[in-house]
Amino acid sequence: MKIVSTIQEVRECVNAWKKEGKTVGFVPTMGYLHEGHMSLIDAARENDKVVVSIFVNPMQFGPNEDLASYPRDLEHDAKMCEAHKVDLIFHPTSEEMYGDSFYSYVDMNVLTEDLCGLTRPVHFRGVCTVVTKLFNIVMPDKAYFGQKDAQQLAIIRRMVKDLNMPLQIVGCPIVREPDGLAKSSRNTYLSEEEHRAALVLSRSVFLARDMIGRGERDCKAVLAAMTAEIEKEPLARIDYVKAVDFENIQPVTQIKGNVLIAIAVYIGKTRLIDNLVTDIIE
Ligand code: AMP
């Protein structure tokens, strides 16, 4: 496994593989890797070569967000990647990615306006821009994204379609702790008491899954039950509990087809997300 920090080194490596006719799978991350990231890497093994980027992208953080405190541990990340047979880690500096001036952005309407876009107004512009840059650098055949960040997955799929980017996007299921909490690098911010309180997120998602499994199709009823469940937890403060079409992130009232039921909840100072995507054909 190689670890490189320049765009040129990635290009040389990938170009050599492409000359040999190898396919390339790509997993973009912000590091502090866990089993959720590993599931994407394992899925990417369907390609001949696997590239992982580790870059805490300043452009996708708002001014009052956790850019400075975001956890970082390259040594641990490299060990995990090695164990999962990653071929190349790209770990650039901000200077390598953005130089000392930068004026070009990839932005999107509609899909970015609700859910996390409401409280994080610059976030998805930062995500679309860095992912486009990374796609242009790595030139993968397929890129792997977690359904944990479901709005992001919908946005990336749309960006690739709208802008005719020549690669395939693969969505991968949410990986959870044994107690149900969706794995996240930000879980490290939680105290023991907050971790216990944070289980209210997965509990409310499982409650929704069970209601829908029993035949409930009214979004209002499902969202009300989820809200009531979360409000039982004194350490939890709801940002949103919503149901939207998974493709265009527009509100829906009935559960039919691929509906994204998404929540964002503060546990103390830590903002956590979780979701469920339905697949109801009736
Ligand atoms: P991040 O490092 O948080 O930017 O995440 C990098 C990628 O890993 C994104 O595509 C995430 O959706 C995905 N990911 C993060 N946590 C999980 C998880 N618990 N299950 C599946 N994928 C995840």
Side-chain angles (χ1 to χ4, degrees), residues 141-204:
D141 298 281
K142 294 185 180 182
Y144 299 77
F145 290 84
Q147 190 205 299
K148 160 83 192 335
D149 299 275
Q151 185 177 16
Q152 169 175 280
L153 173 58
I155 287 169
I156 299 294
R157 281 202 169 117
R158 187 72 208 198
M159 177 181 84
V160 164
K161 177 170 182 266
D162 284 356
L163 302 182
N164 309 100
M165 294 181 174
L167 79 163
Q168 193 186 322
I169 300 301
V170 181
C172 300
I174 301 178
V175 176
R176 298 179 179 279
E177 303 278 358
D179 61 15
L181 182 65
K183 295 223 180 214
S184 164
S185 308
R186 288 189 168 99
N187 290 350
T188 186
Y189 296 147
L190 302 171
S191 68
E192 227 171 89
E193 190 193 5
E194 286 173 335
H195 184 118
R196 186 199 44 74
L199 299 181
V200 77
L201 278 94
S202 49
R203 235 180 3 253
S204 76

Side-chain angles (χ1 to χ4, degrees), residues 32-44:
Y32 213 69
L33 303 179
H34 51 65
E35 291 306 321
H37 299 110
M38 292 307 119
S39 73
L40 308 187
I41 290 169
D42 293 346

Side-chain angles (χ1 to χ4, degrees), residues 135-146:
F135 285 173
N136 285 336
I137 294 163
V138 177
M139 299 208 287
D141 298 281
K142 294 185 180 182
Y144 299 77
F145 290 84

Side-chain angles (χ1 to χ4, degrees), residues 44 132 142 162 249 259:
T132 300
K142 294 185 180 182
D162 284 356
I249 315 293
V259 171

Side-chain angles (χ1 to χ4, degrees), residues 239-281:
D239 176 359
Y240 63 76
V241 178
K242 288 189 175 173
V244 297
D245 182 293
F246 187 36
E247 206 178 297
N248 59 23
I249 315 293
Q250 296 302 292
V252 293
T253 55
Q254 287 296 305
I255 296 180
K256 197 175 140 199
N258 296 138
V259 171
L260 165 62
I261 298 174
I263 62 175
V265 177
Y266 287 92
I267 302 292
K269 286 195 173 110
T270 306
R271 184 175 174 281
L272 298 173
I273 56 174
D274 203 341
N275 70 77
L276 154 84
V277 176
T278 66
D279 183 14
I280 304 287
I281 311 157

